[in-house]
Amino acid sequence: MTDEVTGAAAASSRDDAARRSNPDAEVVEICRDLIRIDTSNFGDDSGPGERKAAEYVAEKVSEAGLDPTLYEPEPGRTTLVARWEGTDPSAAPLLVHGHLDVVPAIAADWSVDPFAGEIKDGCVWGRGAVDMKDFDAMVLSVLRARARAGRPPRRPIVLVFTADEEAGGRKGAHWLVERHPEVLEGCREAIGEVGGFSLTVRDDLRLYLIQTAEKGLAWMRLRAKGTAGHGSMRNGDNPVTELAEAVARIGRYDWPLRITPTAEAFFAEVSDALGIDIDPAGGDVEATLARLGTFSRMIGATLRNTANPTMLDAGYKANVIPGEATAVIDGRFVPGAQEEFLATIDKLIGDKITREMLNVDSAPETEFAGALVEAMRASLQAEDPAGRAVPYLMSGGTDGKAWDRLGIQCFGFAPLKLPPDLDFVGMFHGIDERVPTESLEFGARVLDRFLDLA
Ligand SMILES: [Zn+2]
């Protein structure tokens, strides 16, 4: 009995010691806590907002000795900023950012409660597990461990936990850039989503995809105006017909390959890693991509511009030809291709249809080189000798578009060593979103090493 008690006490003091010094000690727990705070972003203000999550983060960073500031463009839509001083105050600060909001989840579709932060089969399950409460938790776990151990980072770090990323960041990152650019003063580089995750090629080779570019976004409404009239009459100026043809032309358009410098660098690294010669401009590129498994879905979408019709609206009665019909198109362009993209759309819609931009956002691109990239490579390899960092262009958008407005170079670097069979790309905004606990702990350790080198 006595021995058991002593044993338990020794174990618990070992736990305490581990908790004090290990960067990965709290990552799983914090990730679960954050998932349990529902921050669903419906794209309007009908969701719960980010304030509760921001207050949770504020408590965690305050305990580590930081002095956080909360910003709210609107009540409940909270972004947190905190400065973490480094040992070299003359070094340029590094922006480390994560968003607090998540896309909604319909509980009935899930096999677990999406907001319970359950652990099952070695994974933390729940909305935000990979997008991106995982990285938020890594940052907090590493910060707290280093604070306890008296190990500040080399460079000053500006920590930003944003609201509203999932709706474009107008009430989060973009707002901060417009209204409080002073908090980011001196920042030239940033790390955040979406990148740093592994893609297993062979037992002895894992590619870690570092995001160095992202596609731009062009959401637009097309409008056809015509002559309203009785549905029983002949009508050569029917806006529904006109619009439907334009929408079909866009939807069926075969966009040509547009290989950006990032895509070229990606294929060069992959060619080298696999020992094969991939010509990204060649016709066999899709076949090569297939070898990368589910990830090929994402890469495939980054080799060209895309435009998908997503909404249609016209008419109000079966026998009335309306005077107008509208459609919404989700357009995405690769870095450097915005003008070409819009010119192509205009050609496809013709002159009878007008185009109104609903949302346009940039396609930033950063070179995969320099000291920060070396720090990523080295910290990944120290934790995974079979790992190899590779740049890639991401098909979606992130808060990086906002930081880019201040000239900050953005890298998607939220390290995760993943099991080979996990459909990681499918986890984003997907049903049964989850992340292995070991992957979270790995990420925290890499991030900790990275802060020594960055
Ligand atoms: Zn995200």
Side-chain angles (χ1 to χ4, degrees):
M1 184 74 186
T2 315
D3 278 346
E4 271 177 43
V5 170
T6 315
S12 111
S13 104
R14 265 201 311 278
D15 284 354
D16 279 354
R19 181 173 284 263
R20 269 199 304 280
S21 60
N22 291 353
D24 56 4
E26 291 186 291
V27 64
V28 171
E29 194 180 311
I30 294 176
C31 185
R32 299 178 74 189
D33 286 347
L34 284 170
I35 288 169
R36 290 187 191 115
I37 306 172
D38 181 358
T39 51
S40 295
N41 186 345
F42 293 88
D44 49 29
D45 287 322
S46 66
E50 296 85 357
R51 184 186 290 168
K52 275 197 183 138
E55 283 170 351
Y56 173 89
V57 174
E59 198 185 307
K60 293 287 173 196
V61 303
S62 298
E63 284 170 6
L66 273 50
D67 184 17
T69 308
L70 303 185
Y71 295 90
E72 285 196 338
E74 281 170 31
R77 306 308 307 273
T78 317
T79 288
L80 178 147
V81 180
R83 194 180 164 94
W84 184 10
E85 294 304 338
T87 51
D88 180 359
S90 69
L94 174 70
L95 168 60
V96 176
H97 62 99
H99 61 83
L100 293 171
D101 61 326
V102 294
V103 293
I106 298 169
D109 296 339
W110 284 54
S111 56
V112 297
D113 176 348
F115 298 104
E118 224 176 277
I119 292 189
K120 199 177 78 166
D121 306 329
C123 292
V124 178
W125 295 59
R127 180 56 86 218
V130 302
D131 187 12
M132 64 174 296
K133 289 175 169 172
D134 56 339
F135 185 66
D136 296 338
M138 286 178 213
V139 172
L140 292 172
S141 183
V142 169
L143 160 71
R144 291 163 63 82
R146 293 181 75 109
R148 282 188 293 261
R151 292 171 54 224
R154 185 185 71 81
R155 297 162 71 157
I157 306 284
V158 176
L159 293 176
V160 179
F161 293 85
T162 59
D164 202 36
E165 192 275 342
E166 295 293 0
R170 302 287 153 197
K171 294 169 186 175
H174 280 288
W175 182 87
L176 195 72
V177 161
E178 280 156 26
R179 305 292 290 275
H180 292 283
E182 74 281 359
V183 302
L184 300 165
E185 207 184 312
C187 291
R188 311 307 318 152
E189 295 168 320
I191 62 162
E193 66 176 357
V194 174
F197 53 91
S198 69
L199 196 67
T200 303
V201 178
R202 294 190 306 262
D203 285 350
D204 62 345
L205 177 62
R206 265 176 294 280
L207 304 180
Y208 284 84
L209 283 292
I210 314 291
Q211 185 195 325
T212 55
E214 60 189 54
K215 282 179 96 174
L217 172 156
W219 294 349
M220 56 205 132
R221 180 175 286 120
L222 306 183
R223 191 180 304 274
K225 286 196 191 280
T227 306
H230 199 291
S232 67
M233 303 289 166
R234 285 165 61 86
N235 185 327
D237 189 28
N238 184 331
V240 178
T241 309
E242 195 65 45
L243 183 86
E245 284 177 349
V247 165
R249 280 195 297 273
I250 290 175
R252 296 201 187 285
Y253 185 67
D254 193 9
W255 293 88
L257 283 174
R258 286 288 173 266
I259 306 299
T260 57
T262 297
E264 228 162 80
F266 170 79
F267 283 111
E269 293 278 354
V270 171
S271 297
D272 192 42
L274 297 179
I276 54 171
D277 195 18
I278 306 171
D279 173 14
D284 59 342
V285 69
E286 316 276 351
T288 309
L289 279 178
R291 293 181 56 180
L292 301 177
T294 53
F295 185 70
S296 62
R297 287 205 306 275
M298 192 188 268
I299 287 291
T302 64
L303 303 181
R304 38 173 66 84
N305 302 324
T306 59
N308 280 305
T310 50
M311 296 167 82
L312 279 173
D313 190 30
Y316 53 91
K317 196 165 185 297
N319 60 356
V320 179
I321 297 166
E324 185 180 285
T326 63
V328 173
I329 309 291
D330 179 354
R332 310 284 175 137
F333 51 89
V334 300
Q338 184 171 354
E339 273 177 35
E340 181 208 357
F341 172 79
L342 291 176
T344 306
I345 290 288
D346 287 345
K347 228 181 264 167
L348 290 170
I349 62 179
D351 14 300
K352 285 196 185 152
I353 289 181
T354 57
R355 158 172 74 78
E356 165 201 354
M357 299 313 292
L358 300 174
N359 193 358
V360 187
D361 218 332
S362 64
E365 185 167 35
T366 291
E367 204 190 339
F368 190 61
L372 201 70
V373 168
E374 288 314 312
M376 291 178 207
R377 284 189 207 276
S379 53
L380 277 169
Q381 242 165 13
E383 290 294 329
D384 182 1
R388 178 176 178 139
V390 171
Y392 88 104
L393 163 63
M394 215 260 296
S395 58
T398 72
D399 278 341
K401 293 188 192 307
W403 318 134
D404 176 60
R405 293 168 66 188
L406 297 173
I408 298 173
Q409 284 186 287
C410 294
F411 296 91
F413 183 65
L416 286 175
K417 181 181 168 191
L418 299 168
D421 52 342
L422 184 76
D423 175 11
F424 185 66
V425 175
M427 291 289 125
F428 281 78
H429 302 188
I431 290 165
D432 286 341
E433 182 178 346
R434 61 192 181 278
V435 65
T437 55
E438 283 181 3
S439 305
L440 284 173
E441 289 159 354
F442 170 88
R445 292 194 300 272
V446 173
L447 184 62
D448 182 54
R449 288 179 184 273
F450 172 78
L451 291 183
D452 283 332
L453 304 170

